[in-house]
């Protein structure tokens, strides 16, 4: 890592100019630093002559949003390796990589800015009818084909070793599974939400216990190679396709964490409409769309996962009566429970989401946050009672009816 230095915009241009075959010699390159995430630098470089463009993502040696928080740059290696595996398994559902530079801790990759970051699309009230089918393909393929159901056990354990990603896991252990459930210093709290947290939320001993049980599962269940941060800000989308990016949190963890991230982030958007100036008709229609999407994500995921199992699982696994059903019920419960934690952390913890923080009136924001917290809590507490996704949808509808009454 001897020659590492964070690039300036000019150095980013020089870097890609020196890459063979990327831009032509007479390219008129312009660079903008467009990183709006929590951790990294992101350079967008365009050739004004041809409109051809690329992205450089470079790790800093600290958390971008908290300069005093050091972080190893090796996360780029995890991201690159996981992208490579996901690319092969899903046949191109991640951005194309043009170069990985270990020394500079950067990846040069396909520019997908003609697509939309899904979170922004949902905030704008866009609908994506193909999303459930697309993300269920990504999830079922990556989670099945990296698991012990399919892989040679020795190779799988090599992979587990290769993907030991302690620093990024620690961020999740703290920010998703620990800090939001007490008055931790790292939390980022809307003052209008604080009374609810102090008087009610932080007194919920059962909730804190169940979240800690899920945290243990996150720390110990090396089930599949998971993306590790699959929120709607990690998905580029348009009406035809999705591309999943930002894989630096990848490690061998519980499959339900990825499925839960998708569901939890759809729930965050669902809750956010409480604080927005939209008609009741729009709100109901859009919320129904979000619940249908959640239902379809799970049902399509389950159908595809079962078909991969029937086709490609180890022979002996296929002969165990009832194992497939038991596996999928457990996975549904893990997904909803972990999705609940992902929902709650974005209301209280360090890193929030624009769906809720875009509500400027802090009282209204608190109302939407409390609604999200109630759904998140139910996801954790009631997860063990779920036998299909319809059970979960009914829980959300019930909490919504109480909210609207
Ligand atoms: C300090 S990093 C905060 C969050 O940003 C990433 O997107 C992850 O969600 C992480 O928890
Ligand atoms: Mg990220």
């Amino acid at each position: 890592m001897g020659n590492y230095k964070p690039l300036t915009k000019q150095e980013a241009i020089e870097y890609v100019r020196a890459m063979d075959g990327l831009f032509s010699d007479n390219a008129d390159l312009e660079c903008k630093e467009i990183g709006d995430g929590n951790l990294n630098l992101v350079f967008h470089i365009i050739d004004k002559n041809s409109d051809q463009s690329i992205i450089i993502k470079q790790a800093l040696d600290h958390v971008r949003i908290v300069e005093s928080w050091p972080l190893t740059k090796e996360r780029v290696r995890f991201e690159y390796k996981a992208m490579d595996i996901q690319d092969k398994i899903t046949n191109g559902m991640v951005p194309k990589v043009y170069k990985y530079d270990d020394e500079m801790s950067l990846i040069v990759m396909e520019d997908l800015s003609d697509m939309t970051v899904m979170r922004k699309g949902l905030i704008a009230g866009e609908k994506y009818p193909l999303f459930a089918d697309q993300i269920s393909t990504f999830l079922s393929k990556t989670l099945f084909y990296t698991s012990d159901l399919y892989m040679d056990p020795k190779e799988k354990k090599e992979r587990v070793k290769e993907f030991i990603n302690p620093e990024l896991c620690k961020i999740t252990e703290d920010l998703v599974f620990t800090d939001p459930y007490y008055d931790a210093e790292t939390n980022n709290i809307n003052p209008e939400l604080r009374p609810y947290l102090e008087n009610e939320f932080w007194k919920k001993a059962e909730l804190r216990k169940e979240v800690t049980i899920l945290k243990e599962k996150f720390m110990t269940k090396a089930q599949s190679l998971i993306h590790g941060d699959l929120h709607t800000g990690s998905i580029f989308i348009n009406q035809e396709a999705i591309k999943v990016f930002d894989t630096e949190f990848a490690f061998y963890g519980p499959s339900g964490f990825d499925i839960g991230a998708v569901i939890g982030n759809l729930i965050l958007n669902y809750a956010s409409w409480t604080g927005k100036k939209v008609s009741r008709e729009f709100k109901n229609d859009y919320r129904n769309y979000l619940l249908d999407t959640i239902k379809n994500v799970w049902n399509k995921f389950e159908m595809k996962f079962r078909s991969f199992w029937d086709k490609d699982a180890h022979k002996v696994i296929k002969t165990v009566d009832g194992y497939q059903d038991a596996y999928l019920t457990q996975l549904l419960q893990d997904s909803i429970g972990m999705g609940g934690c992902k929902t709650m952390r974005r209301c209280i913890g360090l890193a929030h989401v624009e769906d809720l923080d875009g509500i400027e009136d802090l009282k209204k924001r608190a109302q939407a946050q409390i609604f999200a917290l109630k759904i998140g809590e139910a996801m954790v507490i009631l997860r063990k009672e779920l036998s299909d996704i319809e059970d979960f949808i009914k829980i959300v509808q019930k909490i919504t009816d109480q909210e609207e009454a």
Side-chain angles (χ1 to χ4, degrees), residues 69-105:
W69 183 345
L71 199 60
T72 59
K73 304 182 298 299
E74 66 170 353
R75 60 187 185 272
V76 179
R77 179 163 49 82
F78 294 113
E79 176 157 358
Y80 167 68
K81 285 188 170 184
M83 280 175 90
D84 187 44
I85 293 169
Q86 291 167 346
D87 181 47
K88 289 183 179 121
I89 293 178
T90 66
N91 200 11
M93 294 181 88
V94 302
K96 280 192 205 81
V97 171
Y98 301 123
K99 181 172 178 179
Y100 163 61
D101 185 334
D102 189 54
E103 206 174 2
M104 289 294 283
S105 299

Side-chain angles (χ1 to χ4, degrees), residues 6-19:
L7 295 174
T8 61
K9 287 189 275 187
Q10 191 49 41
E11 286 164 344
I13 289 180
E14 282 156 22
Y15 188 91
V16 293
R17 223 185 252 296
M19 277 174 68

Side-chain angles (χ1 to χ4, degrees), residues 229 231 246 248:
D229 197 23
H231 54 81
D246 238 1
E248 64 210 316

Side-chain angles (χ1 to χ4, degrees), residues 57-75:
K57 177 175 177 180
Q58 186 180 33
L60 292 164
D61 58 5
H62 58 270
V63 173
R64 184 173 178 152
I65 55 168
V66 188
E67 263 192 57
S68 58
W69 183 345
L71 199 60
T72 59
K73 304 182 298 299
E74 66 170 353
R75 60 187 185 272

Side-chain angles (χ1 to χ4, degrees), residues 37-51:
N38 299 319
L39 300 178
N40 307 298
L41 294 172
V42 181
F43 299 97
H44 179 258
I45 301 175
I46 184 163
D47 172 10
K48 289 193 280 179
N49 288 335
S50 68
D51 272 357

